Amino acid sequence: MASIEETKTHNNNNKRTTQGRQKIEIKKLEKKSNKQVTFSKRRSGLFKKAAELSVLCGSEVAVIVFSPNGKLFTFGNPSVDDVVSSYLNNGAVAVPSSSSGNGNSTSNLVNAMIELEEAEKKKKQVVRQATLGSILENNNNINAWLEKPVEEMGYEECDHQLTKLISLRNKISEASSSKDFDVPMTKTTPFCGLGLNF
Amino acid sequence: MASIEETKTHNNNNKRTTQGRQKIEIKKLEKKSNKQVTFSKRRSGLFKKAAELSVLCGSEVAVIVFSPNGKLFTFGNPSVDDVVSSYLNNGAVAVPSSSSGNGNSTSNLVNAMIELEEAEKKKKQVVRQATLGSILENNNNINAWLEKPVEEMGYEECDHQLTKLISLRNKISEASSSKDFDVPMTKTTPFCGLGLNF
DNA sequence: CTGTCTATCGTTAGCCG
DNA sequence: ACGGCTAACGATAGACA
């Protein structure tokens, strides 16, 4: 440590001190080291922005990022799984509920609009369900979990496996609520290690 | 830059100068109108940041946001469902694969570390699976989809339903790939309507 | 990889139309 | 609600440790 008075960066001879932030083009970074550093910084920035949004507006936010090396990073408020669950359930229509009054009391136009709206919801629901089914089907963990393809199960074994799953879920729910993958938002600890304190 | 007053907005007699951006505290906004505007602006900013990150670093990114009014907004590259699927499958251990060489060639310490690593992976996997199971179980759409509780199905009906699900999934996959919920990233169209062009 | 520093760039709070 | 504006604020590229 030499003279601390020099608030400027070490201007050894006469050369450039930090030229500050430079404008960059938004295109794939080629230099690997640079890409890694940029990823780290911008991921932090993104998570901070997400945290601020969720706090300011009291809205649920989840961010899922895979690094260039394939490592998983997440941010979620209240938790990634909660938000993802809400996302997967979005557009849900609990019961057909096609009852209710006939179309007399309202105009055909209004009814048409309502039907259109519900059709779109239904479409969303179907796509969501298909996605969920795809996830389920493509996840060979489920097969391992069930220890046997569903096709080979009769009623009793199916029932047995389901009971096992439910009890497993209940057992795990505590561990799950300990948020191994998400940093919980508290008022007493730094938020996500990003220097945000609430 | 000498004449300050000239570059400003009309401010001579009337005090008209917008005081520009003010510092705000990151806490829940109370004013409802203000909250809505802030949500809109910051959501756009967040999505733009996410897009930039995914382009610069070539990494998969998904952002899921629910507005204060409960409306769903998403951003995803390549798509929200792809990233969510990867997220749900993360930590997967396809096969026990406990074969390969015996533990002789490596030290006990290394073996212990490997075992620890695999145990942690396994834990992650179990939590993920439990989460997925919870989603599945809590989603009454699945029940409606299956038209009958799994417990009441024998092998044949189970098989029939599964076949139905698979064919439905295949049918829907095209519609799903049309990205009804995500704005696709192309080089010819404005990105997410955020003024980003690649 | 994580943090620090600085000059500069990009975002946005508050207002208005 | 939506878009435009401006100045202040916050994020960050590049270099270094």
Side-chain angles (χ1 to χ4, degrees):
Chain A
M1 50 185 288
S3 61
I4 310 180
E5 280 80 9
E6 307 278 341
T7 51
K8 301 268 184 135
T9 20
H10 34 74
N11 195 345
N12 291 334
N13 291 333
N14 224 352
K15 205 53 183 102
R16 266 287 66 85
T17 61
T18 14
Q19 38 199 337
R21 177 179 183 176
Q22 302 299 301
K23 186 171 189 174
I24 63 164
E25 195 184 350
I26 303 298
K27 56 185 287 190
K28 191 168 195 289
L29 294 172
E30 299 301 339
K31 301 184 64 175
K32 230 186 316 184
S33 62
N34 195 13
K35 177 158 68 176
Q36 182 55 49
V37 172
T38 296
F39 176 81
S40 221
K41 289 184 174 182
R42 281 180 170 264
R43 178 185 55 77
S44 292
L46 183 67
F47 283 8
K48 186 178 176 185
K49 290 281 189 188
E52 290 181 351
L53 178 64
S54 72
V55 171
L56 285 170
C57 304
S59 52
E60 296 191 6
V61 176
V63 183
I64 301 171
V65 181
F66 286 90
S67 78
N69 301 324
K71 187 175 176 185
L72 172 64
F73 296 87
T74 64
F75 167 82
N77 184 21
S79 84
V80 176
D81 287 335
D82 283 336
V83 181
V84 167
S85 179
S86 296
Y87 167 73
L88 291 173
N89 285 312
N90 193 262
V93 181
V95 188
S97 73
S98 57
S99 58
S100 76
N102 50 29
N104 278 354
S105 58
T106 51
S107 73
N108 289 331
L109 178 58
V110 172
N111 278 333
M113 290 172 66
I114 292 173
E115 281 182 301
L116 179 61
E117 182 71 18
E118 290 188 349
E120 286 177 344
K121 263 191 185 173
K122 199 115 190 176
K123 184 189 170 194
K124 273 197 182 184
Q125 176 190 1
V126 171
V127 175
R128 283 278 162 273
Q129 290 172 342
T131 302
L132 191 58
S134 176
I135 291 170
L136 182 63
E137 198 199 344
N138 290 332
N139 191 340
N140 49 23
N141 291 326
I142 296 295
N143 292 334
W145 197 19
L146 293 177
E147 297 170 355
K148 181 188 286 194
V150 181
E151 297 89 348
E152 297 176 18
M153 291 185 197
Y155 159 67
E156 284 192 2
E157 190 162 4
C158 217
D159 183 44
H160 175 62
Q161 292 297 339
L162 187 63
T163 305
K164 255 176 68 179
L165 296 190
I166 291 173
S167 78
L168 176 61
R169 179 176 66 85
N170 290 335
K171 272 187 203 161
I172 294 296
S173 64
E174 307 159 16
S176 184
S177 65
S178 70
K179 309 274 188 308
D180 291 73
F181 315 107
D182 305 314
V183 178
M185 182 167 73
T186 69
K187 289 188 178 300
T188 57
T189 58
F191 194 16
C192 287
L194 299 172
L196 263 180
N197 287 288
F198 299 126
Chain B
M1 45 218 52
S3 60
I4 303 173
E5 48 193 2
E6 192 168 0
T7 55
K8 298 294 183 54
T9 53
H10 34 76
N11 71 333
N12 297 326
N13 294 336
N14 287 334
K15 48 178 306 181
R16 167 92 325 257
T17 38
T18 72
Q19 22 199 327
R21 178 179 184 176
Q22 300 301 300
K23 186 172 189 174
I24 63 163
E25 198 185 346
I26 303 298
K27 55 188 283 191
K28 191 168 195 288
L29 294 173
E30 299 301 340
K31 300 184 65 175
K32 230 186 320 183
S33 62
N34 194 14
K35 177 157 69 175
Q36 182 55 47
V37 173
T38 296
F39 176 81
S40 228
K41 289 184 175 182
R42 280 179 171 263
R43 179 185 55 77
S44 292
L46 183 66
F47 283 9
K48 184 178 175 186
K49 291 281 188 188
E52 290 181 351
L53 178 63
S54 72
V55 171
L56 286 170
C57 304
S59 51
E60 295 192 7
V61 177
V63 183
I64 301 171
V65 181
F66 286 91
S67 79
N69 301 324
K71 188 175 176 185
L72 172 65
F73 296 88
T74 64
F75 167 82
N77 184 20
S79 84
V80 175
D81 288 335
D82 283 337
V83 180
V84 167
S85 180
S86 296
Y87 167 74
L88 291 173
N89 285 312
N90 192 263
V93 181
V95 188
S97 72
S98 57
S99 57
S100 73
N102 50 29
N104 278 354
S105 57
T106 52
S107 71
N108 288 331
L109 178 59
V110 172
N111 278 333
M113 290 173 65
I114 292 174
E115 280 181 302
L116 179 61
E117 181 71 18
E118 290 188 348
E120 286 177 343
K121 263 190 185 172
K122 199 115 191 176
K123 184 189 170 194
K124 271 197 183 185
Q125 175 189 2
V126 171
V127 175
R128 281 279 161 273
Q129 290 172 343
T131 302
L132 191 58
S134 176
I135 291 171
L136 182 64
E137 198 198 346
N138 290 333
N139 191 339
N140 49 23
N141 290 326
I142 295 296
N143 293 335
W145 196 19
L146 293 177
E147 298 169 356
K148 181 189 286 195
V150 182
E151 297 89 348
E152 298 176 19
M153 291 187 199
Y155 158 67
E156 285 190 3
E157 190 164 3
C158 216
D159 184 43
H160 175 62
Q161 292 298 337
L162 187 63
T163 305
K164 255 177 66 179
L165 295 191
I166 292 172
S167 79
L168 175 61
R169 180 176 65 85
N170 290 335
K171 272 187 204 162
I172 292 298
S173 64
E174 306 157 17
S176 184
S177 66
S178 71
K179 307 277 188 307
D180 292 72
F181 315 107
D182 305 315
V183 178
M185 181 165 74
T186 69
K187 289 188 179 300
T188 57
T189 59
F191 197 160
C192 288
L194 299 172
L196 263 181
N197 288 289
F198 298 126

